[in-house]
Amino acid sequence: MADKPRILWIDDVYGKARNGRNKHRDTLCSRLGLQDITGDCLPRNEQEPKPLLVVDDREIDDIDPTENNKDEVVADVTFCRGQVEMSGEVRNDLDGTLEMARNGWEHPPHWSLLLLDMHFATGAIGVDGEPVGTDEDWEPERYFGLTILDSLCRDSELRDIPVVITSAMERDVIERRFTTQGVWAFVDKTDLNKAKLKELLDDYGLLSDDKIIGHSLPLLQCLREARRRGRIPNENVLILGESGTGKELLAEYIHQQAGKAGKYVPFFPQGVPETLIEDRLFGHQKGAFNGATTDQPGAAELADAGTLFIDEFGDIPATVQAKLLRLLDKNIRETQRLGEQKAKQLRNLQVIMATEREEILLEDNFRKALLARAQVHNSIRIPTLNERSEDIPLLVEYFVKKYEQEFSAESRKVSVEALEVLRTYPWPGNIRELENVIENAVFTYKGLRWLEADHLKLPSHETQRQPIPLDQSSSQIDSDNNIPDSQPQMTETGIHENLDALIKYLNNFNFDGYQHTDLSGKLPQVESAYARFIACYLKAALNLRGEIQYQAAMRCITGDSDLSGAKAKRQIEKILWLSKTPYLISNDPEIIEHLRKFVESDPVLKKACDRILGRNHEQQEQ
């Protein structure tokens, strides 16, 4: 079952609780179908009667409490005031607010959506128990909500939280400010109702699904894009992804979200002779060729007013591509059976294409006009299992239960050792391979109540590593401290002995007897060497699987098998000198700039930066 959406709402009025009560919050949650899980208020039946809705310090009492179905819970919500009371005054609390956002984001289920107020009243507490406010509070450029937004966007861990501004303040004077800070929408509080909240969650939220198992950020972002694209009428959608990642399942999800009146019709060209692909896709008339004894509609015609799914789009032969152009033209949407003189126009057809062979689409034998209509540059990329490795425990649980039922097997638990083996395996076959492994294990050991590591039939995946030996002479390293391309081959035992020896050597290094002239000015060089060494250490871990998998790499070098993706990103930012707190003592700008150039010159490290951060170095410095 999909997780219930979790909302973080940062608002000075709804966020505060006094004596275990907040009458305004209670009415808000009732109207919007929210379940308050903040934990700082008494149950609703102990609240004061007839609560009011408050919008920017104005009470609104003409709300019909029967407007919505109160029994339907749209989402769980946690309220954050964003402020603290100290010595009879209310002050904005940026650090506490960011910490609350971080606590609900680092580990799943993540925040689905963050709703953010703009105006926060501060100052001395008046006789009514509310802050009197200051002139600065009302200056648009000083809205505390904008300060929170700026901090969220600068934080590498928090910048991916989807933010919607909920405020009744005038937006024109601050529009340019928040539109460049990752905000998805601006909603006037007075216009917010249950239907609008559902729409915001569907369009911008990070929501899990019953059939596509997982709660990792890459998967939830993929599902969000799929929902948004699926709701565009008459759309062409291209899904890119490796074999076994679930492209067909994602296509079905898009069809479901689109709410089409027609059917979902899949078409699989793999293994179909080239001469038959056109017939299967477009159909034929009786007598069109020998053996055509009846009229036969094609897959495109059967999908009229619904969704046509073309699997492995990259395998469509050139002889069919010309005819496919008319079908993919959203202004035409024609299909014509073999032997038929007149084409048929389809109504509101959604065409979803998928391929694992992205490079095929760039070859000369693929029509450029066809690629443009397939929107290859606006494709949806489904993440690999390695990119969403935190979903492996959920997937394992799902497949274990599935095949226990299918094989009438004993109900079993998965051992820690087995789960660790599954989490560290590279999964070249992605989810399909994981399912096959679990299916085989459950079937083979139907009578057991534990799934152990020995039950898993996985191919070996040894990887060669070639670190620099400890005794390598300085002449083998150039004047710029670059690692030479040619490195001595070593045995597996030698690798570990060498790295352990280096650690021991550094721990036991003795500075006794050094003079002032020996130590003077050496810190930048020591820092530079240390930082480059750590970066190369990271590079070695990134290379273990032959592709950039930052979370797996950090779990490897830290030994922390539970390390979250957010923490892995934060640590890599420090290692690659893209954080405000890198692994340096002096933070010398010249050293940092030199080391950043080193990263830029290394293909593996640069790719890690591009994939993890999704921005360039200039943006980081800003």
Side-chain angles (χ1 to χ4, degrees):
M1 182 176 180
D3 297 322
K4 189 185 302 180
R6 295 175 65 242
I7 293 174
L8 175 62
W9 200 327
I10 304 175
D11 187 290
D12 59 335
V13 174
Y14 302 134
K16 65 172 173 282
R18 193 176 298 278
N19 299 322
R21 291 179 171 83
N22 187 321
K23 59 183 180 180
H24 312 302
R25 183 197 298 181
D26 188 58
T27 296
L28 179 76
C29 290
S30 178
R31 290 184 62 250
L32 301 184
L34 294 172
Q35 179 69 42
D36 181 10
I37 61 171
T38 311
D40 61 343
C41 284
L42 296 172
R44 182 180 172 186
N45 57 8
E46 299 181 33
Q47 296 273 343
E48 298 176 9
K50 196 179 179 181
L52 304 175
L53 179 68
V54 172
V55 176
D56 295 313
D57 302 330
R58 295 180 289 111
E59 294 185 346
I60 300 176
D61 58 3
D62 58 350
I63 302 302
D64 180 3
T66 63
E67 175 189 344
N68 297 291
N69 177 12
K70 297 179 181 179
D71 295 330
E72 180 187 1
V73 176
V74 175
D76 289 337
V77 61
T78 299
F79 288 94
C80 173
R81 182 179 184 180
Q83 298 176 319
V84 292
E85 295 185 15
M86 299 178 61
S87 304
E89 289 191 353
V90 173
R91 302 177 184 176
N92 292 329
D93 179 22
L94 180 61
D95 291 339
T97 302
L98 295 179
E99 187 61 27
M100 191 167 192
R102 185 173 287 107
N103 288 339
W105 182 249
E106 285 189 340
H107 302 288
H110 305 288
W111 299 122
S112 302
L113 196 64
L114 189 153
L115 303 180
L116 179 62
D117 192 17
M118 284 287 98
H119 171 259
F120 289 70
T122 63
I125 299 176
V127 293
D128 60 353
E130 303 296 332
V132 297
T134 67
D135 291 340
E136 290 185 357
D137 295 337
W138 293 99
E139 295 180 19
E141 288 299 322
R142 297 192 181 187
Y143 285 161
F144 183 53
L146 289 177
T147 300
I148 296 172
L149 186 60
D150 289 342
S151 298
L152 289 172
C153 292
R154 287 196 301 266
D155 193 306
S156 61
E157 293 182 28
L158 305 178
R159 69 169 66 96
D160 289 325
I161 303 179
V163 177
V164 170
I165 294 177
T166 53
S167 176
M169 306 305 295
E170 174 59 46
R171 62 186 289 181
D172 290 345
V173 293
I174 59 172
E175 185 83 28
R176 293 294 301 277
R177 174 88 173 269
F178 67 73
T179 52
T180 60
Q181 297 290 354
V183 172
W184 290 85
F186 186 109
V187 181
D188 191 315
K189 284 185 184 180
T190 59
D191 296 333
L192 193 58
N193 53 35
K194 182 181 289 188
K196 183 63 177 178
L197 180 61
K198 287 182 178 179
E199 181 182 328
L200 292 173
L201 282 167
D202 285 342
D203 286 347
Y204 313 125
L206 299 172
L207 309 178
S208 58
D209 181 65
D210 289 329
K211 295 182 179 179
I212 304 180
I213 308 300
H215 51 209
S216 63
L217 182 58
L219 176 64
L220 297 184
Q221 290 174 327
C222 175
L223 293 180
R224 176 177 60 193
E225 181 62 18
R227 287 195 307 275
R228 291 172 57 80
R229 294 289 298 282
R231 295 192 180 109
I232 301 175
N234 199 38
E235 178 72 331
N236 295 327
V237 181
L238 178 62
I239 300 173
L240 301 178
E242 294 182 4
S243 176
T245 50
K247 295 186 291 295
E248 185 178 357
L249 203 58
L250 185 64
E252 293 176 0
Y253 177 80
I254 295 173
H255 170 71
Q256 176 189 4
Q257 295 299 317
K260 296 286 186 181
K263 297 186 296 184
Y264 171 83
V265 180
F267 172 68
F268 303 98
Q270 306 97 309
V272 178
E274 183 174 326
T275 54
L276 292 181
I277 287 181
E278 182 179 357
D279 178 34
R280 301 279 179 87
L281 187 56
F282 298 103
H284 62 261
Q285 287 290 93
K286 180 181 178 180
F289 50 83
N290 290 334
T293 57
T294 60
D295 293 345
Q296 182 65 48
E301 192 173 336
L302 293 172
D304 192 12
T307 300
L308 171 66
F309 172 58
I310 304 177
D311 192 27
E312 202 42 66
F313 178 67
D315 286 345
I316 297 295
T319 54
V320 181
Q321 290 177 24
K323 196 169 182 178
L324 193 57
L325 279 171
R326 302 284 291 179
L327 180 66
L328 292 185
D329 190 322
K330 296 194 290 185
N331 296 316
I332 300 175
R333 281 286 195 248
E334 284 184 353
T335 180
Q336 187 172 1
R337 297 181 185 181
L338 293 172
E340 190 174 35
Q341 298 300 314
K342 186 178 179 181
K344 178 181 179 180
Q345 190 167 24
L346 304 178
R347 300 168 290 112
N348 192 23
L349 175 69
Q350 178 177 248
V351 181
I352 303 176
M353 298 147 282
T355 183
E356 64 180 275
R357 304 166 64 189
E358 186 175 354
E359 71 284 353
I360 291 291
L361 304 178
L362 304 178
E363 295 183 357
D364 292 337
N365 64 344
F366 224 93
R367 288 174 176 258
K368 302 306 178 185
L370 190 63
L371 294 179
R373 294 178 190 184
Q375 300 198 66
V376 66
H377 298 299
N378 193 27
S379 58
I380 298 176
R381 182 181 174 275
I382 188 167
T384 65
L385 185 54
N386 285 327
E387 291 172 316
R388 43 177 295 212
S389 59
E390 64 185 278
D391 290 334
I392 289 178
L394 280 178
L395 289 164
V396 170
E397 179 184 7
Y398 173 80
F399 290 134
V400 165
K401 290 181 179 179
K402 173 183 176 180
Y403 288 107
E404 284 173 351
Q405 294 178 0
E406 184 170 323
F407 300 136
S408 299
E410 289 277 357
S411 178
R412 70 203 61 215
K413 297 180 180 179
V414 182
S415 71
V416 174
E417 294 77 13
L419 194 57
E420 183 60 21
V421 168
L422 294 170
R423 291 175 66 171
T424 56
Y425 180 71
W427 299 113
N430 292 290
I431 298 174
R432 184 183 295 117
E433 183 182 11
L434 173 63
E435 180 176 5
N436 291 338
V437 168
I438 299 301
E439 178 185 13
N440 180 71
V442 173
F443 178 78
T444 304
Y445 302 96
K446 289 188 293 185
L448 300 183
R449 296 182 178 179
W450 278 94
L451 180 66
E452 299 288 354
D454 291 343
H455 301 159
L456 306 171
K457 307 302 180 184
L458 296 170
S460 61
H461 53 283
E462 297 180 359
T463 307
Q464 294 183 353
R465 293 168 286 177
Q466 300 175 343
I468 300 176
L470 180 62
D471 59 353
Q472 185 176 19
S473 66
S474 59
S475 62
Q476 291 178 280
I477 304 178
D478 66 27
S479 58
D480 198 30
N481 292 326
N482 288 322
I483 298 175
D485 293 332
S486 177
Q487 298 178 357
Q489 299 290 328
M490 299 187 64
T491 65
E492 185 72 15
T493 302
I495 290 173
H496 290 292
E497 288 179 348
N498 233 14
L499 191 54
D500 290 341
L502 174 60
I503 295 170
K504 182 177 181 180
Y505 177 78
L506 291 174
N507 283 331
N508 295 329
F509 192 87
N510 191 349
F511 285 93
D512 293 345
Y514 274 75
Q515 302 299 315
H516 178 272
T517 54
D518 299 322
L519 301 175
S520 178
K522 290 294 191 292
L523 179 59
Q525 298 176 45
V526 172
E527 284 191 305
S528 179
Y530 163 74
R532 293 169 74 112
F533 176 81
I534 294 296
C536 292
Y537 182 30
L538 170 63
K539 175 183 174 180
L542 290 169
N543 271 328
L544 285 178
R545 298 186 177 186
E547 56 181 291
I548 303 301
Q549 300 295 338
Y550 66 86
Q551 187 178 17
M554 289 307 302
R555 283 179 173 176
C556 171
I557 66 178
T558 62
D560 183 359
S561 60
D562 295 321
L563 186 70
S564 69
K567 287 187 177 180
K569 284 184 179 180
R570 182 171 58 184
Q571 292 185 17
I572 291 180
E573 279 190 319
K574 290 183 177 182
I575 292 175
L576 300 183
W577 315 293
L578 299 171
S579 167
K580 290 185 178 180
T581 57
Y583 289 154
L584 294 173
I585 299 171
S586 64
N587 285 337
D588 187 320
E590 293 186 5
I591 297 178
I592 294 176
E593 181 60 26
H594 176 70
L595 295 176
R596 284 180 177 174
K597 290 180 179 179
F598 170 65
V599 171
E600 284 291 320
S601 67
D602 187 282
V604 174
L605 297 178
K606 186 178 186 302
K607 187 176 180 181
C609 291
D610 294 340
R611 177 170 292 186
I612 295 167
L613 304 178
R615 53 181 179 167
N616 57 37
H617 287 214
E618 287 77 18
Q619 290 173 315
Q620 284 284 346
E621 292 168 355
Q622 293 173 1

